[in-house]
Amino acid sequence: MVGLLLTENGVMLPPQASSVAPAVDSLFKFIFWISAFFFLLIVGLMLAFVIRFRKRPGHQKAAHPPTHNTLLELTWSGIPLILVMIMGVWGFKVFLDINTPPANAYEVQVTGQKWKWLFTYPNGYVDEVLHVPVDQPVRLVMTSEDVIHSFFVPAFRIKRDVVPGRYTKLWFRATKTGKFQVFCAEYCGTSHSDMLTFVEVHEPGGFERWLEAASNLLNTLPPAEAGRRLYQSRGCSQCHSVDGSGGIGPTFQKLFGHEVVLKGGARTTADENYIRESILEPMAKIVAGFEPVMPTYKGRLKDQEITALVAYIKSLSGEAQPEGGQQGG
Ligand code: CUA
């Protein structure tokens, strides 16, 4: 049992992968073990007294029970006072460290949206995964498109609400390379628990190479392949499958060139214009059997990116059936 609770890093704690993690953990462990000690001491004494001084036949009440004991009272007030003052000062110091980004931090814009994260880099490139260089301070400027989310990276020991209509900020310096889980830590609706992504920490030089390659995707790949990468990196995959399986939105398998039944019974053919309109104005034509939950991508996808996505969806069409109407998902 104890083995389950203890990891390489103490009691049930994730790996330490940021510069502030050791300080947060030390403070946490101090408060945890002080609390555990006093819990056992107080509950133990209470049980001992209950047993020792229980009512028994032949035992008399004391004639003059003690009313107070100055030394005892000063001791049990003074020790906790000193301990909470240590926790307060120590906690404030860690709080300041977490909230004071270095001046030279690399800035990434974060957008929370039901139910995914988008990261915009200084050159305008957008990705669903947060890529950062190791050992360099990174500052996140975060906002939400819809409801309140919360950006939480357990391995970095950082978490902050992401609020519509305002910007919240967070910074960190990753100390280990690798992938670290990101959670949404504020209940935000149906797929809150799927609002997952990760931070990929690159070795020195690797981040710059990744950003360069990722930003040039559209110019170096055939449109359908660029579209496939966008489908994965821009969150389409969160709701739309490409293998005919179900999801929040219609599958992309055998969609292009086929007939789509809309809410209310109208029919239309999924051609280039239909797909483009669905991306830019998702509420204009709701597919029968699906909830109107897709956010607009107007202003978020460039024309070239939409063209690539259309090319990708086209490549999944299979054999076109003019009167088919076989919509999966
Ligand atoms: Cu976003 Cu929970």
Side-chain angles (χ1 to χ4, degrees):
M1 194 61 207
V2 173
L4 270 179
L5 294 172
L6 292 172
T7 65
E8 34 148 348
N9 182 33
V11 186
M12 290 183 78
L13 292 173
Q16 297 176 333
S18 79
S19 57
V20 297
V24 173
D25 287 4
S26 301
L27 177 62
F28 171 78
K29 285 173 191 168
F30 176 74
I31 295 175
F32 177 83
W33 288 114
I34 292 272
S35 307
F37 172 77
F38 280 103
F39 175 79
L40 291 175
L41 179 73
I42 292 166
V43 172
L45 281 175
M46 201 173 72
L47 288 174
F49 289 168
V50 163
I51 293 162
R52 172 85 175 75
F53 299 111
R54 70 188 185 280
K55 194 176 176 187
R56 274 170 292 183
H59 281 227
Q60 294 294 313
K61 260 190 192 167
H64 302 287
T67 55
H68 68 281
N69 183 322
T70 309
L71 181 63
L72 196 58
E73 285 165 24
L74 282 176
T75 308
W76 79 38
S77 303
I79 292 176
L81 177 70
I82 292 167
L83 287 173
V84 293
M85 282 173 74
I86 294 173
M87 289 174 198
V89 172
W90 188 352
F92 187 61
K93 198 190 160 299
V94 174
F95 173 84
L96 286 181
D97 285 349
I98 292 177
N99 284 282
T100 315
N104 61 342
Y106 183 81
E107 198 168 288
V108 179
Q109 309 283 327
V110 181
T111 308
Q113 185 184 83
K114 288 190 284 185
W115 288 280
K116 62 173 183 280
W117 299 102
L118 292 174
F119 303 96
T120 309
Y121 296 86
N123 69 356
Y125 176 72
V126 182
D127 204 285
E128 268 228 311
V129 170
L130 176 56
H131 292 261
V132 295
V134 72
D135 278 329
Q136 272 184 46
V138 174
R139 200 163 90 109
L140 304 177
V141 178
M142 314 189 289
T143 191
S144 167
E145 287 285 311
D146 35 50
V147 299
I148 301 176
H149 305 278
S150 179
F151 187 81
F152 179 32
V153 189
F156 291 178
R157 309 292 190 275
I158 55 167
K159 176 164 75 173
R160 182 131 311 156
D161 276 8
V162 177
V163 183
R166 59 175 295 182
Y167 296 100
T168 51
K169 288 158 193 170
L170 203 54
W171 84 275
F172 62 85
R173 181 165 63 78
T175 52
K176 282 183 186 156
T177 55
K179 288 184 178 182
F180 302 96
Q181 184 72 55
V182 174
F183 291 103
C184 175
E186 179 74 47
Y187 182 67
C188 56
T190 314
S191 296
H192 156 71
S193 56
D194 294 327
M195 195 166 162
L196 305 168
T197 185
F198 52 88
V199 188
E200 184 160 355
V201 182
H202 293 265
E203 61 200 14
F207 171 74
E208 289 74 10
R209 280 197 298 278
W210 165 82
L211 186 61
E212 172 80 21
S215 310
N216 282 324
L217 208 73
L218 288 163
N219 300 323
T220 54
L221 290 173
E225 176 57 18
R228 190 183 67 78
R229 305 272 186 101
L230 286 167
Y231 164 81
Q232 280 164 351
S233 72
R234 298 300 289 276
C236 315
S237 59
Q238 214 99 340
C239 299
H240 299 276
S241 75
V242 289
D243 59 3
S245 63
I248 294 168
T251 183
F252 287 165
Q253 191 192 45
K254 296 189 179 165
L255 171 67
F256 191 89
H258 295 253
E259 194 175 62
V260 178
V261 181
L262 302 176
K263 203 170 221 164
R267 284 157 190 269
T268 186
T269 301
D271 60 5
E272 287 90 344
N273 285 317
Y274 167 81
I275 290 168
R276 186 185 167 82
E277 185 185 9
S278 300
I279 292 171
L280 297 177
E281 308 226 14
M283 295 305 130
K285 288 175 182 165
I286 307 297
V287 179
F290 291 96
E291 293 298 318
V293 291
M294 177 164 158
T296 174
Y297 280 77
K298 195 176 271 177
R300 283 220 215 96
L301 285 172
K302 299 179 205 115
D303 269 359
Q304 206 185 355
E305 292 172 318
I306 295 173
T307 306
L309 278 167
V310 170
Y312 175 54
I313 293 170
K314 208 168 179 175
S315 75
L316 300 166
S317 65
E319 304 273 290
Q321 303 163 9
E323 294 303 315
Q326 278 218 350
Q327 295 306 314

